[in-house]
Amino acid sequence: MKPPTSTLTSPTATQSITEGDVVVLSATAADSDGSVTSVDFLVDGLVVATSTVAPYSATWTPSASGSYVVTSKAYDDQGAPSLESSVTITVDAAQGGNEKPTVDVALSASTVDVGTVVTLSANAADADGTVDKVDFYVAGTLVGTVATAPYTLDYTTTSAGTLAVYAKATDNLGATTDSALASLVVNGLPTVATCRLMAYTKHKVSMYRIVQFTMKRAVRKWVWTTHVV
């Protein structure tokens, strides 16, 4: 049995990072005799995020300046770990003179099916100015921007996995703050089953009655539709 392999692709040692910035963590992973089940991202030896779906990525926000060791580590379907892939980064102190805005994020649901609309909400404020905008990120990708309160955005889930969600507030002088990460679990599409209930012949005309039913997890209700062909 061969262990999986993993290579950290972001961040890089030469990347410019300031405390409070959202740092994208990403890695490639493979397993020659099985499959990769997860990739852990560690900062100074502590797991800060786990990705279970390729492309393997997450985000991390350093709250203080200094030097950090960022690592990726993959696991295969037998539980075997890969060798660690690491990089040392330097986080610079934020510039003073303007107080950063504050922001948090909330989700209307934390576990949904693919295709479900989730409302992302943020509370944002600025003690010495005004909030210029709030950006919403899902899995490290900007999905929408709201310029005025209330800061809400409807996001339609498009892929399965555990997604990191956060909001970024920008004040009138350009200072930014990222919220803590919220986790959104997106399951695959619900199963659709089809069955033939009956077939009968009357006056030499063959008719089939087909009943289809779909289980919708979001409302926990059976929906029946009938087709005669």
Side-chain angles (χ1 to χ4, degrees), residues 102-189:
T102 59
V103 63
D104 59 37
V105 70
L107 314 179
S108 60
S110 59
T111 302
V112 298
D113 292 327
V114 169
T116 301
V117 176
V118 179
T119 300
L120 314 181
S121 303
N123 293 314
D126 190 45
D128 59 352
T130 58
V131 175
D132 184 59
K133 63 177 181 175
V134 173
D135 297 322
F136 291 94
Y137 290 81
V138 176
T141 300
L142 176 65
V143 296
T145 300
V146 181
T148 58
Y151 303 104
T152 61
L153 179 75
D154 288 335
Y155 168 70
T156 302
T157 55
T158 58
S159 59
T162 300
L163 310 178
V165 180
Y166 69 92
K168 178 193 288 286
T170 302
D171 71 9
N172 57 303
L173 294 180
T176 62
T177 299
D178 301 313
S179 71
L181 294 177
S183 180
L184 176 60
V185 178
V186 182
N187 299 315
L189 289 173

